[in-house]
Every structure is written in structure tokens, then in C-alpha cells.
Amino acid sequence: MESIKKYVAEVIGTFVLVLLGCGTAMLVGCDAKNGGGYILTALAFGLVIVGMAYCVGNISGCHINPAVSLAVLISGGMTVTDFIGYVVSQCLGAIAGAGTLKLIFDLGNVTDMTGGYGANGLAGVNGNAGAGIIVEIVLTFIFVLTILGVTSKNAKHGSFGGLIIGLTLTLVHIFGIGLTGTSVNPARSLGPAILAGGDALSDLWVFIVGPFVGALIAAVVYKCLEPAVKAAPVPVEKAAAPSKNTSTAKPANHNNKKKKK
């Protein structure tokens, strides 16, 4: 039952990420020349993470990203069964989010400024898949490494973890939107690509391979760099001092003296 709750939380979180993140890009556009739309799209993705971290984070950890789940799996934070459940849930949430956007924009006859439901693409790197993969590996590495550091049980970052992670996602979007649209999340790329089809679907493998490789490297690097936790010294109990007979009572005299007549 607990696992089902986690999976539902991941569906909801990824749904919101695609709906609000990609939806913002569709409304305002995210061309690098259009600075306002560019920044708004980056902020939308980051702010969703902040909100969901303090919402579904209490239930599932707010991965809402198969690459993050892979890093957590490698770090020993989840089972293979849960990993599969998380990835399936995240993909379902992303598809549902993209489907909802299509419904809204089609019914409302709203112009999609991205032309493909906010799908990732390689136009910013002139169609070069190699450059696109490098961008996604590096950005995912930075993002996932931050998550592992913030959520490490060996460090205490208080209640600001969700804010730090959200701001980091905003940062990598600011750099990557003009290159690949910034995926760092295979599920986020899958949903819009399925509905957009065409180049978005044919280039989808870049936005699956890149984030997974980046997350894998981040997990391995963090494992190597994370300081070992020193075991707390076991207190040595002092041997109890032998108890002393503190009784002041004198032993009874069993030799009764005869009374004189």
C-alpha cells in the first residue's frame, strides 16, 4: 500500500512538472532571443520542483524524474522494484501532463509558441546529436549531484533542500534551453515527444540516454567524494564498585547470659 502511494505521488508530481513547465514554454515561447520567455520557462520548471518537493516529497521523495530515481537506486536508496514503479509512474504522469496541454490548447485554439508541446529538440545545436548528448549529460550531472548532496543523510541542510534543488533546475534550464530545451529528465521529454511526433520523437533517444548517463556518473562520483561517516565511539561502562555493607546493626548475641537469682 505504501508503494502505491509513492507511485501515485510520482504520477502527480511529473504531471504538474510537464503541465506547468512545458505549458509555460508553449505560452510564452523559449527562444533564446526572447529573454522574457526564456527566463519564465526556466523559473516555471524550477518553481514546480520547489512546490512538489514540499508536497509529494513527504510521500515519495519527489523524484519525478527517472534519472534521479536511477541515481537513488545506485546510491542504495531504493529497491529495483520501486525503481521500476517510479519510472513507470513518472512516464504516465508526463504523458498525462502533455495530453492535458494538448486538450487545453486545442479546445481553446491557443497558439503553441514551441510548435511541439514544449518537446526537447536539437535545433539549438544545429541537429548534432553528439552535442545534444554532451549538453544533457553535463546538465544532468550537475543537477543530480546537487540532489545527492542536499539529500545526503550525512549532511544537514535543514528545510531548504527543496528550494536549493529547484533553483539548480532553474539554473541548468537558463543555460540549456537555447541548446536542447533542457531535458535532464527522460519522462519530461517522453510525454511531449509522443504527442508532437516527427523530429521530437526521432530525437527522443538523446534525451533518454543523456540524462541517464549523467545521473549514473553523478551517483558514482558522489559515492567516491562523500566523506565517510565516523562511527560514534562506544561508551565504556565502568565496572561497578563492590558494594559495602553499610549496615550498623551488630550481630545478634546468641549466647544468653543466665540471670542471677
Side-chain angles (χ1 to χ4, degrees), residues 26 112-118 196:
M26 292 167 68
D112 176 4
M113 298 295 290
T114 67
Y117 305 103

Side-chain angles (χ1 to χ4, degrees), residues 8 10 13 35 48-49 93 104 107 121 127 145 153 161 179-180 194 202 229 234 256:
V8 172
E10 288 295 301
V48 167
I49 293 298
I104 293 171
L107 288 176
L145 196 68
K153 295 180 180 179
L179 298 172
T180 62
I194 288 176
S202 62
V229 181
V234 179
N256 294 330

Side-chain angles (χ1 to χ4, degrees), residues 15 31 46 62 67 77 81 93 109 131 133 135 167 169 171 175 197 212 216 219 222 229 231 233 245 252:
F15 169 83
D31 192 318
C62 188
T81 301
N109 196 26
I133 285 182
V135 169
L167 288 175
L169 185 61
L171 176 61
F175 176 79
F212 274 135
L216 173 64
Y222 193 79
V229 181
N245 187 357

Side-chain angles (χ1 to χ4, degrees), residues 30-33 38 113-116 118-133 135-136 175-183 198-204 206-207:
C30 53
D31 192 318
K33 295 179 182 179
Y38 197 102
M113 298 295 290
T114 67
N120 296 109
L122 299 174
V125 290
N126 297 310
N128 189 293
I133 285 182
V135 169
E136 290 298 322
F175 176 79
I177 285 176
L179 298 172
T180 62
T182 309
S183 169
D199 290 340
L201 199 55
S202 62
D203 293 337
L204 178 60
V206 171
F207 305 105

Side-chain angles (χ1 to χ4, degrees), residues 37-148:
Y38 197 102
I39 296 299
L40 284 173
T41 300
L43 283 172
F45 278 101
L47 290 174
V48 167
I49 293 298
V50 174
M52 291 298 100
Y54 296 104
C55 177
V56 301
N58 303 324
I59 303 166
S60 67
C62 188
H63 295 187
I64 60 179
N65 182 339
V68 172
S69 296
L70 176 63
V72 174
L73 173 68
I74 295 171
S75 301
M78 68 190 310
T79 65
V80 174
T81 301
D82 267 347
F83 170 71
I84 295 172
Y86 269 50
V87 171
V88 170
S89 301
Q90 291 153 2
C91 291
L92 291 175
I95 294 170
T100 303
L101 285 174
K102 176 176 173 55
L103 183 64
I104 293 171
F105 276 66
D106 286 354
L107 288 176
N109 196 26
V110 181
T111 301
D112 176 4
M113 298 295 290
T114 67
Y117 305 103
N120 296 109
L122 299 174
V125 290
N126 297 310
N128 189 293
I133 285 182
I134 291 172
V135 169
E136 290 298 322
I137 288 175
V138 172
L139 295 185
T140 307
F141 171 81
I142 295 169
F143 180 52
V144 172
L145 196 68
T146 301
I147 292 174
L148 294 176

